[in-house]
Amino acid sequence: MPVSFKDVLLAGTLYWNSEFTGDLDELPDDIDDSDKYVQIPDKKELALGKPLVLDFARQFLPDNVGDVQEIFSKRGAYARFKDLLQRRGALDRWYAFEANAEERALRTWCDHNSIEVGD
């Protein structure tokens, strides 16, 4: 039975569990049942972090690639990156680029995990 891609994109129902804070949500007894539940990868697992930012900079801000590399060599990079995008008038383009990359990566992940996606 196919699942809605929107549910995958929005991660459907989320359950939060952390070794540092304990269970913030009551987890279902069968949470370990891989036939019923699957852990959706985060952006880092989908390679949507720094590599994606650098791809964007190379395509849309070629004169600022060095600046972007410098920004991402320190903590707090995303806030500084978004400031740069705002100054260059490229923030909306970044959001569209990022959303497109996230959709492609999640669809590929679904395919590799035999999750049938319906639109």
Side-chain angles (χ1 to χ4, degrees):
M1 173 180 184
V3 297
S4 163
F5 183 72
K6 184 177 179 182
D7 286 343
V8 173
L9 189 60
L10 299 175
T13 302
L14 297 174
Y15 295 103
W16 181 262
N17 182 10
S18 169
E19 64 184 74
F20 301 109
T21 61
D23 294 344
L24 298 178
D25 292 325
E26 175 123 1
L27 300 177
D29 292 335
D30 59 352
I31 193 74
D32 295 322
D33 184 347
S34 62
D35 289 333
K36 290 180 77 175
Y37 301 98
V38 63
Q39 184 174 345
I40 305 291
D42 64 18
K43 288 182 179 189
K44 193 172 194 175
E45 292 172 308
L46 293 171
L48 296 176
K50 184 178 176 180
L52 184 66
V53 168
L54 293 174
D55 286 345
F56 178 84
R58 283 189 284 273
Q59 288 182 43
F60 299 104
L61 302 170
D63 294 337
N64 296 107
V65 171
D67 297 330
V68 173
Q69 289 172 326
E70 174 67 23
I71 287 170
F72 277 85
S73 69
K74 300 174 188 151
R75 295 179 60 94
Y78 277 99
R80 290 191 312 277
F81 176 61
K82 288 181 181 177
D83 287 343
L84 173 69
L85 294 174
Q86 185 71 38
R87 289 191 309 270
R88 300 292 183 261
L91 192 58
D92 288 339
R93 181 178 279 176
W94 162 249
Y95 287 136
F97 183 85
E98 182 183 39
N100 187 292
E102 183 177 4
E103 179 174 340
R104 283 192 324 267
L106 278 174
R107 287 185 182 276
T108 299
W109 177 83
C110 286
D111 187 50
H112 287 138
N113 287 280
S114 302
I115 297 171
E116 185 180 349
V117 176
D119 294 292

